Amino acid sequence: MNRKEKVSIALALSSLFIAYLGMGLASPVMPTIAEELSLNGAVVGYLFAVMAFAQFLASPFTGVWVDSIGRKKMIVIGLLLFSFSEALFGFADETWLLFVSRLLGGVSAAFIMPAVVTYVTDKTTLSNRAKVLGYQSAAISLGFIIGPGVGGLIAEFGIRAPFFFAAAISLIATIIIFILLDDSITVEQLQKNRASAVRPVFIQEFKKSFQPKYFTPLLIVFILAFGLAVYEMMFSLFVDEKFGFTIRDISIVITVGSIAGVVAQIIFFDKLVNVIGERMLINLTLLSTAIFIFLTILIDGYLTMIVVTSIVFFSCDILRPAVTSFLSKIAGKNQGYIAGMNSAYTSLGIILGPIIGGILFDINIDMPYIFATIVLVIAFVISSVKLKKPNLN
């Protein structure tokens, strides 16, 4: 890649960073907001789930629109929606407004994610795609790294201040990307795509994902998202109730864990793919994630929690780009569609994960993590038996 392409990819990845920074900002303050509005674990789970539900419904459409509207416009629209949704969450003083905010946030994610994945695919070759997809996942994790720490600091100015901050930086990013980012698809190709485009039908688009070569890796995407959603979205409530962690404590644990994930992606991911391939990497990280999520309920202590959380993040942040890279290799000419389905299956996991996790949390605070462990072990078995090496011929 030349310097211009590297700058373009960095700008595209920054949109993911901004979105996940905004999500990360909320993590340490959610227990306080839940207490302020008298929300139990189930309602907090529903708030996360409704965002993913909106993303799930929109993803089959946005995956197709990426090829007819263009990558750049999709990113800009997504960032504008995200900015508005964060501002709305900051102003909301009733539960139903929080749900509206999360719905809009889910739609924004459905615009941004497939657009960025497809942009990266356009700008890379098979030989360097895994490395850049590792950077994509690192951008997500970096948002989570900075987000909780910054959120904890900004919360000193008010419990809703992190959401206004997220809205502001998202709006700034929208302007910068609108001015500077070049699209990765030509006007002629967009016109051709529009002329031949078939209006997406949700059920039909989703049915295509059941094709044997797509279904197993997409099922793993779903299970990863499910298990990780249970872990991450219940984490603040879990450590707040079990250990009495403060906003500062939660921020530090998530930040240190996320740093481990980013180091893994930038330094190790590309090398691991070259040595053992995506398939083996997926299997190993599924197993390690399951083991250390289970260990979370057995440990006692602040430093031990940091270590275990770091390993969970490390494993997940290797697993996520490994599955994305695997899917990109089997997608062929259907990169936009598979990117949309990747987003849809991720959303489906995040829909069910927080709902089930929140209900289980209200029964017993350890139950969500036990359930997540079981689900990830099942994914490991399915992956070991069913996942086949991609045929690149």
Side-chain angles (χ1 to χ4, degrees):
M1 290 185 293
N2 58 39
R3 185 175 181 276
K4 183 179 179 181
E5 288 176 332
K6 289 179 180 178
V7 170
S8 296
I9 289 174
L11 282 172
L13 294 179
S14 71
S15 65
L16 279 180
F17 167 73
I18 293 295
Y20 281 88
L21 173 67
M23 296 177 195
L25 286 168
S27 296
V29 301
M30 278 308 296
T32 306
I33 290 176
E35 182 178 350
E36 181 183 276
L37 298 179
S38 301
L39 309 178
N40 60 21
V43 174
V44 173
Y46 295 146
L47 275 173
F48 285 114
V50 76
M51 181 175 183
F53 182 67
Q55 185 177 357
F56 172 70
L57 290 180
S59 289
F61 299 91
T62 57
V64 174
W65 293 341
V66 162
D67 293 326
S68 57
I69 295 177
R71 288 58 159 144
K72 177 179 176 178
K73 287 182 181 178
M74 294 284 288
I75 293 171
V76 167
I77 293 170
L79 284 172
L80 282 173
L81 283 173
F82 181 76
S83 179
F84 179 76
S85 72
E86 290 295 297
L88 180 60
F89 200 98
F91 283 113
D93 56 2
E94 296 184 26
T95 304
W96 72 271
L97 284 174
L98 298 181
F99 278 98
V100 172
S101 166
R102 296 301 86 181
L103 279 168
L104 292 174
V107 174
S108 74
F111 272 82
I112 295 170
M113 183 64 77
V116 173
V117 171
T118 310
Y119 191 94
V120 168
T121 301
D122 292 340
K123 292 286 188 177
T124 56
T125 62
L126 283 176
S127 62
N128 63 9
R129 186 169 301 158
K131 183 176 182 178
V132 179
L133 286 173
Y135 292 154
Q136 174 200 318
S137 192
I140 293 172
S141 295
L142 190 59
F144 276 120
I145 287 176
I146 298 175
V150 174
L153 291 174
I154 296 176
E156 298 292 328
F157 298 97
I159 203 65
R160 303 301 183 96
F163 300 101
F164 297 127
F165 178 79
I169 60 171
S170 181
L171 185 60
I172 293 170
T174 303
I175 296 170
I176 292 173
I177 287 174
F178 179 76
I179 295 172
L180 298 180
L181 186 69
D182 66 311
D183 212 332
S184 61
I185 187 169
T186 64
V187 175
E188 292 77 12
Q189 186 61 51
L190 284 174
Q191 291 173 344
K192 182 179 177 181
N193 290 343
R194 290 188 196 114
S196 60
V198 178
R199 186 176 182 178
V201 178
F202 180 83
I203 299 298
Q204 292 180 1
E205 291 297 312
F206 198 70
K207 273 185 175 181
K208 291 180 188 177
S209 69
F210 294 124
Q211 295 176 23
K213 70 173 183 176
Y214 297 146
F215 184 66
T216 298
L218 286 172
L219 180 62
I220 294 169
V221 167
F222 162 73
I223 294 175
L224 166 64
F226 179 94
L228 197 55
V230 172
Y231 183 80
E232 290 185 342
M233 296 177 187
M234 292 294 109
F235 183 79
S236 295
L237 297 180
F238 177 81
V239 295
D240 176 62
E241 182 164 327
K242 190 167 186 175
F243 302 110
F245 281 12
T246 64
I247 290 176
R248 177 183 172 83
D249 294 332
I250 296 169
S251 298
I252 292 173
V253 171
I254 296 175
T255 299
V256 173
S258 298
I259 288 173
V262 169
V263 169
Q265 292 156 8
I266 294 176
I267 298 179
F268 299 115
F269 176 68
D270 188 43
K271 295 180 176 65
L272 288 170
V273 168
N274 291 334
V275 173
I276 63 176
E278 287 95 346
R279 181 178 176 274
M280 182 61 69
L281 194 54
I282 289 168
N283 293 340
L284 291 175
T285 49
L286 277 171
L287 185 60
S288 63
T289 302
I291 290 170
F292 282 91
I293 284 180
F294 182 72
L295 287 177
T296 303
I297 68 174
L298 303 178
I299 62 177
D300 184 14
Y302 182 65
L303 293 177
T304 312
M305 180 62 74
I306 289 178
V307 172
V308 171
T309 302
S310 296
I311 296 173
V312 171
F313 280 31
F314 183 100
S315 298
C316 289
D317 291 334
I318 288 289
L319 177 54
R320 186 186 294 111
V323 179
T324 302
S325 178
F326 186 93
L327 281 167
S328 74
K329 288 183 177 179
I330 65 175
K333 297 180 180 179
N334 300 313
Q335 295 291 340
Y337 169 74
I338 288 301
M341 282 297 103
N342 190 344
S343 180
Y345 274 76
T346 298
S347 301
L348 189 58
I350 299 174
I351 291 167
L352 296 177
I355 291 175
I356 295 175
I359 293 170
L360 293 175
F361 182 87
D362 288 336
I363 298 171
N364 182 285
I365 61 174
D366 290 337
M367 285 184 68
Y369 287 178
I370 294 173
F371 189 71
T373 299
I374 294 170
V375 169
L376 287 164
V377 169
I378 292 171
F380 167 72
V381 173
I382 293 172
S383 176
S384 300
V385 174
K386 295 286 189 181
L387 200 63
K388 306 298 181 184
K389 185 176 180 180
N391 183 2
L392 303 179
N393 294 329

